Amino acid sequence: MAALFRLAVLGAGLWVTAAIGATAADCGSPDQPCTLAGGSYHMAVPEGSVPRGIVMHLHGGGASGQAMLTSDLGKEAVARGYVLIAPNGEHPENRWTRDWSVDAGNMDFERDDIAFLNAVLADARSRTGMSDAPVYLAGFSRGASMVWNMACKQPDFALAYAPLAGAFWEPLPRDCAAPVRLFHTHGWADRTVPLEGRSFRKGAVVQGDVWAALALLRRVNRCDNRQPDDSQTTDGLWTRDWRDCAGAPIRLQLHRGGHGAPEGWGDAVMDWFEN
């Protein structure tokens, strides 16, 4: 029997409600995440009609899934009728206990987060009854690096991917499993994750170069040209689109800021997801 699920969205002063399966009412709120083997996640469900799909949003290193409930993208996704899933990165033996097992040289993690995110999605589908709903994956910083890994290793996990301020770490993959739709956003002045990357531990661990990641994806997506098919500069944003690709289109958007999202990023990503 359907139950009314209520979720207090922290700091937003509003309630999210939906009539969904009774099991979904048991968890997901900011203070009571859903738990499963290996970790936990938060969930917000839109009010009223049957949800249109699922948006999974991965937090940055040291943050939490709870924070994604009130993020720009999180609120925009729920407002448009999507279930928001916000998993928690958990690696207690790591420097950052709330992190993701991003592929990188000289780094080890306790949990396989590709397997974990698949388990989270399966659990959320079961709780909400959304067995066939489309899925979109986004992430910030280390969460964005995990998005790149997911897109490369398991391209059928989501219909489209939107990493913000994070990409592959070195060594970059030699190839990816299949083409994917991907919208990468990055700050021109980002010093935490510079566009060209930076090194740690005297060079033992190195952030990847965003330009190299995009070059790899153009090859995987079978884009005919190295140069974009369209370039625009509007309101402090520089956007490039590779549309003439046999596999899937790519969008790159740069903003004048640092390690964060430009104004309206959530709205722009949801527009792109729905296009």
Side-chain angles (χ1 to χ4, degrees), residues 34-273:
C34 298
T35 59
L36 66 163
S40 61
Y41 66 95
H42 299 271
M43 179 168 59
V45 182
E47 182 179 4
S49 60
V50 176
R52 301 171 60 187
I54 295 170
V55 174
M56 184 180 290
H57 195 8
L58 307 183
H59 63 76
S64 68
Q66 183 187 63
M68 298 298 96
L69 297 177
T70 54
S71 67
D72 182 27
L73 177 61
K75 291 186 289 186
E76 185 65 29
V78 175
R80 295 193 187 205
Y82 292 82
V83 170
L84 174 71
I85 300 175
N88 288 307
E90 292 182 20
H91 289 275
E93 300 302 319
N94 221 41
R95 178 184 175 186
W96 282 343
T97 58
R98 294 185 177 272
D99 196 8
W100 304 102
S101 58
V102 174
D103 288 348
N106 300 303
M107 292 188 75
D108 296 311
F109 299 92
E110 304 94 86
R111 187 175 73 185
D112 178 349
D113 280 325
I114 289 182
F116 174 67
L117 295 182
N118 277 275
V120 166
L121 180 58
D123 190 74
R125 285 191 185 280
S126 176
R127 291 180 185 275
T128 60
M130 300 177 65
S131 58
D132 298 319
V135 177
Y136 304 93
L137 181 63
F140 169 63
S141 194
R142 282 286 290 184
S145 294
M146 194 67 209
V147 170
W148 273 93
N149 278 184
M150 291 293 292
C152 187
K153 288 190 168 185
Q154 191 184 340
D156 61 351
F157 180 83
L159 289 182
Y161 298 83
L164 166 66
F168 292 127
W169 286 56
E170 294 189 358
L172 269 65
R174 293 179 178 272
D175 203 355
C176 293
V180 293
R181 290 181 62 221
L182 187 139
F183 178 178
H184 183 89
T185 306
H186 219 104
W188 184 258
D190 193 333
R191 301 287 295 176
T192 303
V193 183
L195 283 159
E196 295 77 14
R198 63 184 176 123
S199 63
F200 303 84
R201 303 180 192 172
K202 298 181 179 181
V205 180
V206 184
Q207 290 172 343
D209 188 319
V210 172
W211 309 112
L214 289 167
L216 169 63
L217 190 59
R218 286 198 304 272
R219 176 169 58 81
V220 172
N221 283 13
R222 303 191 301 280
C223 302
D224 286 346
N225 299 311
R226 294 181 65 174
Q227 71 271 27
D229 301 296
D230 184 45
S231 299
Q232 297 184 15
T233 55
T234 56
D235 300 325
L237 299 174
W238 299 268
T239 305
R240 292 183 170 190
D241 282 291
W242 285 266
R243 300 192 187 98
D244 192 10
C245 305
I250 303 167
R251 170 168 289 185
L252 168 66
Q253 187 172 86
L254 302 178
H255 61 93
R256 66 182 72 187
H259 194 59
E263 184 177 355
W265 178 74
D267 187 53
V269 167
M270 290 306 302
D271 282 349
W272 189 81
F273 278 162

